[in-house]
Structures are given as structure tokens and as C-alpha cells.
């Protein structure tokens, strides 16, 4: 069956979450004069935050915690690492982080070019994101990529996250697509690459960090432009 539908993960596949989050947190850090008040170096703080945030998102993906736990702990635990036990400060960062991150909308290198390429080849494009629904929709809209997509599925709408097969089932039903004519492109080995293939859907693993993970027959790229080799 001919491939007709291309499903994309959003964060760090198309929308450069790492870069946009870095810039947002740096702004908040400077506004609150964290370095002068607490003698914390921003780069050190961001490194700690990144590791804590990644671990919490993995626990969300695996169903161990919910999003409220993540929102309560990612900044609180980061500041506590540096000896700052201040829940009000953590709440300030969390609330303003979610409000302000969409002020930065840098896309992953090659994203717009690849979307134009796939549109010109008459593929129908979709988003399947593990992110929060309201933030996912704003990211797509404010970055200018929303018009490329027929459907945008966020995990909140389904109540489960990739790699749970229910989110793939939901997104396919929303898009009137069959799994045999669909492919998913994403940067998370477990959520995207393994999630899609275990569901019975083709996948391309966007190996941003060159993790060199392998599964027989699975396509992998290190730059979005390489999608053109497969589609």
C-alpha cells in the first residue's frame, strides 16, 4: 500500500524545544536576578534542570507520574539541588515558563523545507505529541507550521502518551488513515520509534544525539533533510 500519511512528533523533531526552553529559562533567570541573589551560574542550573526535566518526562511517558507532578517538581527540584528550597520561586518559574516559551519559536534546522517538500509530494501531514494540548497547539500556531497539518493530536486529548498504542489508534482514526499507509517521524527511541513499530506502523527515528540505536529494518536519520531519502 502506498505511503500517504506522515505523522510527526513535535518537540525536538520540528519545534526546537531544547533551544526555545533554554532561551526562556535564561530570561526568567535574569529577570529574577538568580545569579546575584543565590550565586548560581545559569549554565550549571540549566544543565541540572535539563537532566531533571528529561527524567520526569520519561516517567510521564512510562505512566509513573502525571503532568501535575512534573510541573510541581522540575524547577523546585532544580533549585533545591543548589540549596534553594523555595516553592514560590519554583511556581513563578513554572507558570512563566509555560506562558513565555511560545515567545520563542525556533524550528529544528530543515523543518520548514521538509514540510514544504512533503506537501508538494501530496503527503497528508499530522502531529502526534506527548506534550500538553494547549501548549502544543500554540507552538504549532505561533511558529507558523499549523497550516501544514490536517490533524494535531496531543496526549492530553487521549489520556495516554506514546508509546501507548491508544494514542496512535486515536490519531489514525482522527485522520482517516490506515497504519499500513502511514509513517511516524520522531526523536524519542521508545515513544516514537518503538511505539510506532510495535503498533505496526512504519517509523523513521530522528537520531538527534546520534545514539546509534538499531532495530532491523528501522529507518534512521540525523538531519531532517534525510527524510527525502525515504519519502
Amino acid at each position: 500500500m502506498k505511503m500517504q500519511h506522515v505523522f510527526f512528533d513535535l518537540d525536538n523533531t520540528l519545534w526546537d524545544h531544547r533551544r526555545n526552553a533554554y532561551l526562556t529559562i535564561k530570561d526568567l533567570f535574569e529577570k529574577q536576578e538568580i545569579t546575584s541573589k543565590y550565586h548560581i551560574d545559569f549554565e550549571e542550573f540549566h544543565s541540572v534542570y535539563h537532566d531533571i526535566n528529561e527524567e520526569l518526562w520519561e516517567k510521564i511517558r512510562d505512566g509513573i507520574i502525571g503532568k501535575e507532578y512534573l510541573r510541581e517538581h522540575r524547577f523546585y527540584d532544580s533549585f533545591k539541588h543548589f540549596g534553594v528550597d523555595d516553592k514560590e520561586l519554583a511556581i513563578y518559574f513554572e507558570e512563566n515558563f509555560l506562558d513565555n516559551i511560545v515567545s520563542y519559536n525556533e524550528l529544528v534546522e530543515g523543518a520548514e523545507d521538509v514540510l514544504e517538500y512533503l506537501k508538494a509530494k501530496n503527503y497528508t501531514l499530522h502531529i502526534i505529541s506527548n506534550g500538553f494540548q494547549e501548549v502544543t497547539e500554540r507552538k504549532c500556531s505561533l511558529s507558523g507550521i499549523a497550516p501544514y497539518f490536517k490533524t494535531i493530536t496531543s496526549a492530553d486529548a487521549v489520556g495516554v502518551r506514546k508509546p501507548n498504542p491508544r494514542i496512535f489508534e486515536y490519531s489514525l482514526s482522527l485522520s482517516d488513515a490506515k497504519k499500513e499507509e502511514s509513517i511516524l517521524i520522531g526523536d524519542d527511541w521508545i515513544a516514537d520509534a518503538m511505539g510506532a513499530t510495535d503498533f505496526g506502523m512504519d517509523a523513521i527515528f530522528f537520531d538527534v544525539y546520534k545514539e546509534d540505536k538499531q532495530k532491523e529494518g528501522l529507518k534512521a536519520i540525523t538531519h531532517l533533510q534525510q527524510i527525502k531519502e525515504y519519502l
Side-chain angles (χ1 to χ4, degrees), residues 15-30:
W15 197 84
D16 196 343
H17 181 83
R18 293 181 189 91
R19 179 63 179 161
N20 296 326
Y22 174 92
L23 294 170
T24 304
I25 297 168
K26 189 173 184 182
D27 274 353
L28 297 174
F29 211 80
E30 290 171 355

Side-chain angles (χ1 to χ4, degrees), residues 7 124-128 149-153 171 174-176:
F7 292 80
T124 305
L125 309 181
H126 312 271
I127 291 284
I128 307 180
F149 301 102
K150 180 182 178 183
T151 66
I152 298 174
T153 299
S171 192
L174 198 66
S175 58
D176 293 323

Side-chain angles (χ1 to χ4, degrees), residues 189 193-194 197 201-205 213-220 230:
W189 176 255
M194 292 298 93
T197 54
M201 187 172 162
D202 202 358
I204 296 175
F205 175 47
K213 294 179 182 289
Q214 295 181 0
K215 183 177 180 180
E216 188 176 351
L218 182 67
K219 306 170 183 69
Y230 297 110

Side-chain angles (χ1 to χ4, degrees), residues 44-58 78:
E44 289 181 21
F45 178 85
H46 181 264
S47 178
V48 168
Y49 164 83
H50 176 79
D51 290 345
I52 288 172
N53 189 54
E54 289 289 304
E55 184 177 340
L56 289 171
W57 271 107
E58 287 174 7
S78 299

Side-chain angles (χ1 to χ4, degrees), residues 65-89:
I65 62 171
K67 72 174 184 179
E68 292 308 319
Y69 186 93
L70 174 137
R71 294 188 62 178
E72 183 180 343
H73 282 272
R74 59 179 167 184
F75 285 106
Y76 178 71
D77 291 358
S78 299
F79 277 112
K80 200 170 180 183
H81 174 88
F82 293 94
V84 179
D85 188 345
D86 188 335
K87 287 193 175 181
E88 284 189 16
L89 181 64

Side-chain angles (χ1 to χ4, degrees), residues 1-7 123 176-183:
M1 192 174 288
K2 186 186 175 188
M3 197 66 67
Q4 296 182 35
H5 296 266
V6 182
F7 292 80
Y123 287 104
D176 293 323
K178 297 181 177 67
K179 66 174 73 175
E180 297 82 6
E181 59 187 24
S182 304
I183 190 167

